[in-house]
Amino acid sequence: MRYRRRRPDSVRSNPFPFSFPWASRGLSLALRVALAMAVAGCSSVPLKEAGTLSSYGNLGVPKGKLSKSRVYVDGTRLSPAKTVSIVPTTFAFNAATRVKSDADRVMVANALDRALCISLSDKYQLVSAGQPADLTIRSVVTDIVPTNKAMAGVSTVVTVGTGFVLPVGVPRLPAGLGGLAVEAEAVDSGGVQRAAIVWSRGANSLQNNPRVSEVGDAYSLASKFSSEFSRMLIKGKEPKGLDISLPSGQRMKSWLGGKPKYAACDAFGRPPGLMGAVAAKYGAPPQWTEKKPKPAATY
């Protein structure tokens, strides 16, 4: 009697008799190329002086890789300060002309001031602009590199689309990236400069989600600036390395769109919270989820 040799179940259950090694090799190559492009893809924004600081003579030499900055901080004189007032951010003429919409400029300025207000609330009492304070902060946007909306839309489709079929989405395409440059200072009640910064940063393919808005990158980079400047003011010295500390409870509550610690922060609107995070992931313009500022008096 003859016995047929049985095929292993793994072979018998395979519905595809052929394999396509070239497809996997091509996909692997495409991913490597995309990653290499993402690492190289970064908008370059030079440091710019707009002449709005009370002094530039105290600033140090330029430092940084992703963010470039020149800073000055007098930690000894900052230490006794208890109250802070934030003057609404303005735009230098050249920066203002690069953004078509006045509403977009206001949105970027509010995002910057709001992030400053929330972060500084960890140490200082924030009071409304114009009220007496130990420190008054003035910030000026000195340059904006507009985001290319068409390229941001294409990047969103590619990134989100590949995320559904691959373990990791392809990074943002390194084209049409935006950027932001800011200068700011903190002066005491006598008008003497106690801290100052000239700062710039361009968006990059790995860390900044593409958003279909002319100021999509500037909007997200505004909070990066505020984080670095507020960290310097709170510590009273130039910060070193990445900030890996956990955010405070009041900061988390505020970032989620809740009531800020101080009423003065409501003058810059509340963060869009989780809805804003979802919108950013799918490339929606920040205008869709940005909340309008509330007068502090109605808090």
Side-chain angles (χ1 to χ4, degrees), residues 106-116 219 222-223 226 268 290:
V106 171
M107 183 178 66
V108 171
N110 276 340
L112 189 155
D113 293 330
R114 178 174 62 215
L116 264 179
Y219 175 83
S223 62
S226 298
F268 309 116
E290 182 69 13

Side-chain angles (χ1 to χ4, degrees), residues 92-154:
F93 177 77
N94 289 337
T97 58
R98 303 193 72 179
V99 179
K100 299 174 184 177
S101 167
D102 181 62
D104 283 351
R105 291 192 293 272
V106 171
M107 183 178 66
V108 171
N110 276 340
L112 189 155
D113 293 330
R114 178 174 62 215
L116 264 179
C117 201
I118 292 172
S119 297
L120 290 175
S121 295
D122 280 347
K123 179 177 180 179
Y124 302 102
Q125 178 185 350
L126 274 294
V127 300
S128 299
Q131 292 187 9
D134 299 327
L135 293 174
T136 298
I137 296 176
R138 306 186 187 97
S139 305
V140 176
V141 174
T142 57
D143 195 14
I144 276 187
V145 177
T147 302
N148 185 303
K149 293 194 290 185
M151 286 305 304
V154 172

Side-chain angles (χ1 to χ4, degrees), residues 27-143:
L27 179 59
S28 176
L29 177 61
L31 287 174
R32 288 199 297 269
V33 170
L35 286 171
M37 291 172 64
V39 172
C42 181
S43 174
S44 178
V45 184
L47 294 173
K48 285 193 176 182
E49 296 179 6
T52 64
L53 300 184
S54 55
S55 174
Y56 291 85
N58 296 323
L59 294 171
V61 298
K63 295 181 181 178
K65 293 181 180 179
L66 289 176
S67 300
K68 302 180 182 67
S69 63
R70 297 178 61 204
V71 305
Y72 161 69
V73 56
D74 184 349
T76 302
R77 298 304 179 100
L78 281 177
S79 182
K82 303 295 182 184
T83 57
V84 170
S85 172
I86 298 175
V87 177
T89 291
T90 58
F91 279 67
F93 177 77
N94 289 337
T97 58
R98 303 193 72 179
V99 179
K100 299 174 184 177
S101 167
D102 181 62
D104 283 351
R105 291 192 293 272
V106 171
M107 183 178 66
V108 171
N110 276 340
L112 189 155
D113 293 330
R114 178 174 62 215
L116 264 179
C117 201
I118 292 172
S119 297
L120 290 175
S121 295
D122 280 347
K123 179 177 180 179
Y124 302 102
Q125 178 185 350
L126 274 294
V127 300
S128 299
Q131 292 187 9
D134 299 327
L135 293 174
T136 298
I137 296 176
R138 306 186 187 97
S139 305
V140 176
V141 174
T142 57
D143 195 14

